[in-house]
C-alpha cells in the first residue's frame, strides 16, 4: 500500500526550507502582496480519498488555471466550432506574447495562452445569458462547492495594469476574432482569472478531467472525447513556454497560474494541486513544479 500522506509530508518537508522560492508575480499589484512562504499540496484519488499538507486549505488566486475551466465551458457550449477561432499547438512563447498572434492573422496558438483565453472569454460572453454568474455557477458545480467566488479587488487590480491583455484583445478585434467589445471581453476575462480557490477545491474542480467528464458528484459535464482533448491541450500547452519541461519532469497534464497554483491529474487515478506563490522565470510555481516532480517520481504514477 502506498502511504500518500507520508509522501506528501516528505515532499513538503524537503522543500519548505529551500531558500530560493522564486519571485511572486509583481505585474498584478494585488498578487505581489501574497507571502512567499505559503506552501500547500492536496491530493485527491479518483476513489475519493483526500490527503493534504501545509497551506492546502488557504485560498489562492487561480489566475490562468481558470483558462482550462473556461475552455471546458466553451467546448461544452459550441463544440468543435471552437477550433475555427484558435489552434491547438504549443506556442513555445511566454503566455502574453503578441508577435505570433500577428503573424498568424489573429488566430491564437492555443486556448491556454492569454490571446486564446480571451477568444474563449468572447465565446462565453456571446453564448451565456449572465456570463459571470453562469460561469461561476459552472465552476461551483464542477467542484460541488457554492463558496467559490471572484475576488473583485484582484480583478480590478489587473484591469488597471492589464496593458498587454488590452493589446492582445485589440489585435484580436482588428483581425475580426472577437464578437464583443474589447472592454466587455476583458472585464469577463479579469473576473475569471480572479477566482479564489484552495488546493482541495482545485482538485475537486479538476476531477472531471480525471473522470472522463463526470464531476465529483458523478454528473456528466463533458464527453469523454472532450476531456481527452482538453487533457492533451493541458499537457502540450499548460505551462507557458515550459510545457516540455513539465512533461519531462512531471509527466502529467496540468495547468499553472501566476498566483503560484498548479493543478495536475492522472486520468482514472488522481488530481493534485500545489500552491507556492514564488514563480520561476517562465512563470510557473518554483516549489510547485519541484513538488510534483518528486510526487510522480516517488509514486511512479505518471502518464508515461
Ligand atoms: N490574469 C493573468 C494575465 O492575464 C493570468 C496570467 C497567468 O496566470 O498566466 O496576465
Amino acid at each position: 500500500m502506498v502511504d500518500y500522506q507520508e509522501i506528501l509530508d516528505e515532499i513538503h518537508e524537503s522543500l519548505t526550507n529551500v531558500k530560493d522560492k522564486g519571485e511572486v508575480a509583481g505585474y498584478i499589484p494585488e498578487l505581489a502582496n501574497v507571502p512567499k512562504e505559503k506552501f500547500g499540496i492536496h491530493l485527491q484519488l479518483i476513489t475519493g480519498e483526500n490527503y493534504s499538507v501545509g497551506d492546502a486549505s488557504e485560498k489562492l488566486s487561480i489566475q490562468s488555471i481558470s483558462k482550462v475551466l473556461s475552455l471546458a465551458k466553451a467546448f461544452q457550449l459550441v463544440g468543435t466550432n471552437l477550433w475555427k477561432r484558435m489552434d491547438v499547438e504549443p506556442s513555445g512563447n511566454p503566455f502574453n506574447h503578441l508577435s505570433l498572434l500577428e503573424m498568424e492573422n489573429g488566430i491564437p496558438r492555443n486556448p491556454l495562452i492569454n490571446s486564446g483565453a480571451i477568444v474563449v472569454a468572447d465565446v462565453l460572453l456571446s453564448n451565456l445569458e449572465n456570463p459571470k454568474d453562469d460561469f461561476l455557477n459552472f465552476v461551483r458545480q464542477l467542484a460541488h462547492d457554492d463558496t467559490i467566488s471572484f475576488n473583485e479587488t484582484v480583478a480590478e487590480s489587473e484591469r488597471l495594469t492589464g496593458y498587454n491583455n488590452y493589446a492582445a484583445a485589440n489585435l484580436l478585434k482588428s483581425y475580426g476574432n472577437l464578437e464583443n467589445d474589447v472592454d466587455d471581453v476583458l472585464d469577463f476575462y479579469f473576473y475569471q482569472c480572479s477566482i479564489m480557490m484552495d488546493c482541495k477545491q482545485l482538485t475537486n474542480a479538476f476531477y472531471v478531467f480525471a473522470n472522463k467528464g463526470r464531476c465529483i458528484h458523478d454528473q456528466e459535464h463533458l464527453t469523454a472525447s472532450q476531456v481527452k482533448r482538453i487533457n492533451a491541450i493541458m499537457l502540450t500547452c499548460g505551462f507557458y513556454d515550459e510545457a516540455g519541461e513539465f512533461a519531462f519532469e512531471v509527466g502529467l497534464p496540468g495547468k499553472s497560474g501566476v498566483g503560484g497554483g498548479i493543478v495536475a491529474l492522472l486520468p482514472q487515478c488522481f488530481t493534485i494541486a500545489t500552491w507556492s506563490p514564488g514563480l520561476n522565470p517562465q512563470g510557473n510555481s518554483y516549489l510547485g513544479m519541484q513538488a510534483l516532480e518528486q510526487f510522480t517520481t516517488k509514486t511512479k504514477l505518471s502518464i508515461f
Side-chain angles (χ1 to χ4, degrees), residues 33-246:
N33 300 328
V34 180
K36 225 195 241 187
E37 296 66 42
K38 299 286 177 194
F39 181 34
I41 311 174
H42 189 92
L43 168 71
Q44 175 159 205
L45 304 185
I46 195 92
T47 43
E49 290 94 341
N50 284 275
Y51 305 90
S52 252
V53 68
D55 300 312
S57 54
E58 270 197 51
K59 303 263 173 150
L60 61 126
S61 182
I62 72 166
Q63 291 298 319
S64 277
I65 295 172
S66 68
K67 291 173 181 166
V68 180
L69 304 172
S70 58
L71 167 64
K73 186 67 202 173
F75 206 5
Q76 188 198 64
L77 287 167
V78 304
T80 53
N81 283 329
L82 205 53
W83 313 126
K84 294 181 183 148
R85 295 179 59 185
M86 69 194 73
D87 213 333
V88 291
E89 290 298 333
S91 76
N93 276 312
F95 63 102
N96 54 8
H97 209 73
L98 294 180
S99 62
L100 263 183
L101 187 59
E102 195 173 14
M103 262 157 37
E104 294 173 358
N105 300 320
I107 300 294
R109 266 287 166 109
N110 66 67
L112 301 185
I113 53 173
N114 283 15
S115 54
I118 291 169
V119 172
V120 169
D122 184 58
V123 170
L124 295 184
L125 229 56
S126 295
N127 287 280
L128 294 174
E129 212 164 303
N130 300 301
K132 284 183 194 162
D133 288 350
D134 295 353
F135 177 65
L136 188 59
N137 278 335
F138 173 67
V139 176
R140 287 175 169 178
Q141 278 171 18
L142 287 185
H144 200 69
D145 190 332
D146 282 346
T147 67
I148 295 170
S149 297
F150 298 120
N151 181 328
E152 298 194 12
T153 316
V154 171
E156 191 53 30
S157 175
E158 187 170 3
R159 185 201 322 280
L160 295 173
T161 54
Y163 307 111
N164 191 286
N165 285 320
Y166 277 98
N170 277 298
L171 208 49
L172 288 164
K173 187 80 182 169
S174 77
Y175 280 106
N177 203 1
L178 284 191
E179 291 172 355
N180 299 281
D181 284 347
V182 163
D183 284 333
D184 295 340
V185 177
L186 286 180
D187 177 58
F188 179 88
Y189 172 75
F190 295 144
Y191 265 78
Q192 73 164 71
C193 289
S194 82
I195 289 179
M196 303 293 290
M197 285 196 218
D198 63 28
C199 290
K200 169 130 195 333
Q201 290 171 324
L202 281 169
T203 66
N204 286 343
F206 274 65
Y207 189 96
V208 71
F209 305 111
N211 193 35
K212 297 199 172 191
R214 304 186 84 86
C215 71
I216 40 168
H217 242 71
D218 206 35
Q219 194 186 341
E220 184 171 352
H221 288 276
L222 298 160
T223 66
S225 160
Q226 286 172 330
V227 161
K228 176 180 79 173
R229 300 191 201 289
I230 293 172
N231 284 339
I233 294 171
M234 279 197 257
L235 182 75
T236 52
C237 314
F239 295 88
Y240 312 117
D241 45 343
E242 214 177 21
E245 180 75 10
F246 192 84

